[in-house]
């Protein structure tokens, strides 16, 4: 089980959608961020292997930023 919090900033305060890929082939989750600009995440993996979580943040102008982190 992996849990955490994602926090993003946008100087223009546009609405932001996060696309989270947990790296295990289960697909992606979209999360809409409000004023707080943070979101909790959690995922249960079926294997103890190292996985790579990729998060893509997209504002309403289509501008994107991304980050990838290992689970171990």
């Amino acid at each position: 089980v992996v849990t955490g919090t994602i926090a993003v900033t946008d100087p223009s305060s546009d609405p932001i959608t996060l696309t989270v890929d947990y790296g295990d082939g289960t697909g992606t989750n979209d999360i809409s961020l409000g004023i707080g600009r943070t979101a909790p995440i959690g995922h249960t993996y079926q294997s103890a292997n190292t996985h790579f979580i990729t998060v893509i943040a997209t504002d309403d102008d289509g501008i994107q930023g991304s980050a990838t982190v290992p689970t171990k």
Side-chain angles (χ1 to χ4, degrees):
V1 175
V2 171
T3 60
T5 301
I6 299 171
V8 299
T9 59
D10 182 5
S12 62
S13 298
D14 290 331
I16 293 176
T17 299
L18 299 178
T19 301
V20 182
D21 183 341
Y22 292 97
D24 61 354
T26 57
T28 60
N29 293 326
D30 288 337
I31 302 168
S32 295
L33 294 184
I35 295 172
R37 303 292 186 189
T38 63
I41 62 166
H43 188 71
T44 301
Y45 289 96
Q46 299 302 312
S47 69
N49 299 332
T50 297
H51 296 87
F52 292 88
I53 301 171
T54 299
V55 178
I56 301 171
T58 307
D59 73 7
D60 67 344
D61 295 319
I63 298 171
Q64 294 185 328
S66 65
T68 300
V69 295
T71 57
K72 288 187 180 180

